[in-house]
Amino acid sequence: MRVRTIRDLSAADLKGRRVLLRVDFNVPQDAGGAVTDDTRLRAALPTIRALTGAGARVVCCSHLGRPKGRPDPRYTLAPVAERLMALLGSPVRFVPSVVGADAEAATRALTDGEVALLENTRFEAGEEANDPTLAAAFARLGDFYVNDAFGAAHRAHASTEGVARLLRPAVAGLLMARELEYLGAALEKPKRPFIAILGGSKISGKIDVIEALLPKVDGILIGGAMACTFYKAMELETGRSLVEPDRIEMAADLMERAAYRLTLPHDATVAPAIAEGARAHAVHRDAIPADEAMLDVGPDTIASYRRAIGSAKTIIWNGPMGVFETAPFDAGTRAVAEAMAEATSRGATTIVGGGDSAAAVEAAGLAAQMSHVSTGGGASLEFLEGKALPGVVALETVAS
Ligand code: ADP
Ligand code: MG
């Protein structure tokens, strides 16, 4: 069984019909509301073009930011409609309401191949509550439903879950399908050796992923501040490093069960504070000074992680190796990104999940050299944790 996608629909299913298309247009904006990063808009273009090309009348909807269930001009999607229009190179009708008579009339005024964008779904209090009345109101805005918002699929909201139960066909868009394909194949039938590289600030946010991946992978390489909670469990000095005292026991238990499959950094790049990059130096993990913090994995670790990536056939990466926002603590993260790019070119499957890791890969200019960079931070994490994503579960399935 796999999720049904727009590719499974016939020409007659699409031509002249209104499609309610849930996208993830939750883009970063500057103070004036201008879109500062259009990655998510560009990621939705293939689905929009496939639908318009088949003569469908496309009604896009998305959330943006965190308005509190009522209209808030700071979170209007109007500037997003402008940018989408520029990217598509064809008109996008902005609809200043989310649901209701005016919105419905706007969808009925569309001609074949035309695109509209509704106002922010979170302007409605029923969105996050997954209110059935709001879901029914969404259902009146299309003749069928497509969900391409992988980044919002881990939330059971009216526009991601409720409406999919009411408006049929309810299928996945191309981005959603691609996300499920890459992440699903890595978990279900990985080419081996299969390794995971996990970093980031907190072990508490990644513990479920470690647990879920342990039985599936040949090895897990740890980086980030998370390593320090493991160090603490090994009774090492961690100085001023970020440690989660209430997770030390859990870390000890995990190390014992994982045994050789869990690799911790051998050395660390430390400094008295993030701002004091000039005083950064490498130390063995058992020599972290009491008045300094581990801010990146060290050079020996970088070399050994590079080798591990070099001999793996499937690599999943979630969470930066260090404080990658500030040089020189970006070295570990950059090295992992480079090693993964090289691995891709020799045929390995490389997958990056997690908002900050994806941003680091983009910043390094290496995104195109990965097999797949997930657009869904929280959603990809929950998928890797083995959790069912409500927005996906609500879609139709077909035999694979
Ligand atoms: P992702 O979004 O990719 O899942 P996380 O949100 O879990 O990643 O973690 C990213 C954050 O972790 C970054 O802001 C980074 O600065 C921080 N981080 C990584 N290593 C360290 C460290 N050694 N000390 C403090 N913060 C760290
Ligand atoms: Mg993050």
Side-chain angles (χ1 to χ4, degrees):
M1 293 266 270
R2 61 167 177 83
V3 69
R4 195 179 180 204
T5 79
I6 58 171
R7 274 178 252 142
D8 299 310
L9 299 177
S10 69
D13 287 333
L14 301 167
K15 173 95 179 129
R17 307 196 69 221
R18 294 172 309 149
V19 51
L20 180 67
L21 173 64
R22 178 56 157 100
V23 282
D24 180 4
F25 284 173
N26 185 29
V27 291
Q29 292 172 286
D30 65 17
V35 177
T36 54
D37 179 354
D38 62 8
T39 307
R40 284 178 169 163
L41 304 187
R42 283 184 284 110
L45 294 180
T47 300
I48 296 175
R49 291 203 171 111
L51 291 166
T52 56
R57 305 169 177 202
V58 182
V59 181
C60 302
C61 67
S62 175
H63 73 286
L64 174 66
R66 298 185 176 278
K68 307 246 150 42
R70 55 185 138 74
D72 180 335
R74 284 176 300 171
Y75 299 107
T76 176
L77 275 163
V80 174
E82 290 293 327
R83 179 63 76 94
L84 181 62
M85 186 141 45
L87 290 170
L88 274 174
S90 56
V92 173
R93 294 192 187 201
F94 179 65
V95 181
S97 44
V98 185
V99 288
D102 290 350
E104 185 175 344
T107 69
R108 295 203 184 275
L110 291 174
T111 57
D112 291 5
E114 268 196 319
V115 178
L117 175 63
L118 300 169
E119 186 53 287
N120 193 339
T121 56
R122 288 192 186 167
F123 283 3
E124 292 288 331
E127 166 71 338
E128 294 186 66
N130 200 6
D131 173 32
T133 312
L134 180 61
F138 276 126
R140 282 193 285 275
L141 304 181
D143 302 313
F144 66 105
Y145 175 74
V146 174
N147 191 345
D148 213 23
F150 179 74
H154 57 315
R155 306 273 182 245
H157 292 167
S159 69
T160 60
E161 204 272 352
V163 67
R165 307 245 172 231
L166 301 173
L167 184 57
R168 297 288 166 124
V171 303
L174 301 174
L175 173 64
M176 173 77 93
R178 185 181 155 81
E179 292 271 8
L180 297 173
E181 213 172 281
Y182 271 97
L183 296 171
L187 293 187
E188 283 155 32
K189 40 179 195 283
K191 295 179 286 179
R192 292 185 184 274
F194 172 23
I195 64 168
I197 304 161
L198 300 175
S201 47
K202 291 182 169 178
I203 185 175
S204 51
K206 304 284 161 88
I207 197 85
D208 291 342
V209 183
I210 300 177
E211 289 284 1
L213 289 179
L214 256 187
K216 297 183 190 276
V217 297
D218 299 297
I220 293 182
L221 312 179
I222 298 289
M226 176 159 76
C228 301
T229 301
F230 285 103
Y231 287 169
K232 206 76 184 171
M234 296 159 74
E235 297 179 355
L236 298 176
E237 170 68 59
T238 54
R240 293 185 191 159
S241 309
L242 197 62
V243 167
E244 289 175 276
D246 54 334
R247 303 293 165 141
I248 296 169
E249 227 170 289
M250 186 187 271
D253 166 65
L254 204 62
M255 273 193 299
E256 194 178 312
R257 282 186 293 123
Y260 67 91
R261 275 176 301 154
L262 195 71
T263 302
L264 293 167
H266 316 286
D267 61 346
T269 293
V270 298
I274 294 174
E276 296 186 65
R279 292 174 63 190
H281 60 114
V283 294
H284 191 267
R285 68 185 179 198
D286 60 13
I288 296 175
D291 55 354
E292 300 195 27
M294 173 177 187
L295 297 169
D296 196 8
V297 295
D300 290 351
T301 304
I302 289 177
S304 91
Y305 284 13
R306 269 187 182 282
R307 277 195 299 277
I309 293 166
S311 55
K313 293 220 169 65
T314 303
I315 305 131
I316 287 186
W317 176 27
N318 182 294
M321 296 291 98
V323 183
F324 73 99
E325 299 93 336
T326 311
F329 311 113
D330 58 340
T333 303
R334 228 172 344 94
V336 166
E338 285 164 9
M340 284 183 67
E342 285 159 24
T344 317
S345 68
R346 57 158 182 77
T349 300
T350 51
I351 298 171
V352 183
D356 290 294
S357 327
V361 168
E362 287 279 354
L366 295 171
Q369 293 176 59
M370 303 294 162
S371 306
H372 182 63
V373 180
S374 179
T375 54
S380 61
L381 205 58
E382 290 199 19
F383 190 94
L384 295 177
E385 287 167 3
K387 293 188 181 137
L389 307 180
V392 175
V393 174
L395 300 176
E396 292 163 58
T397 54
V398 289
S400 51

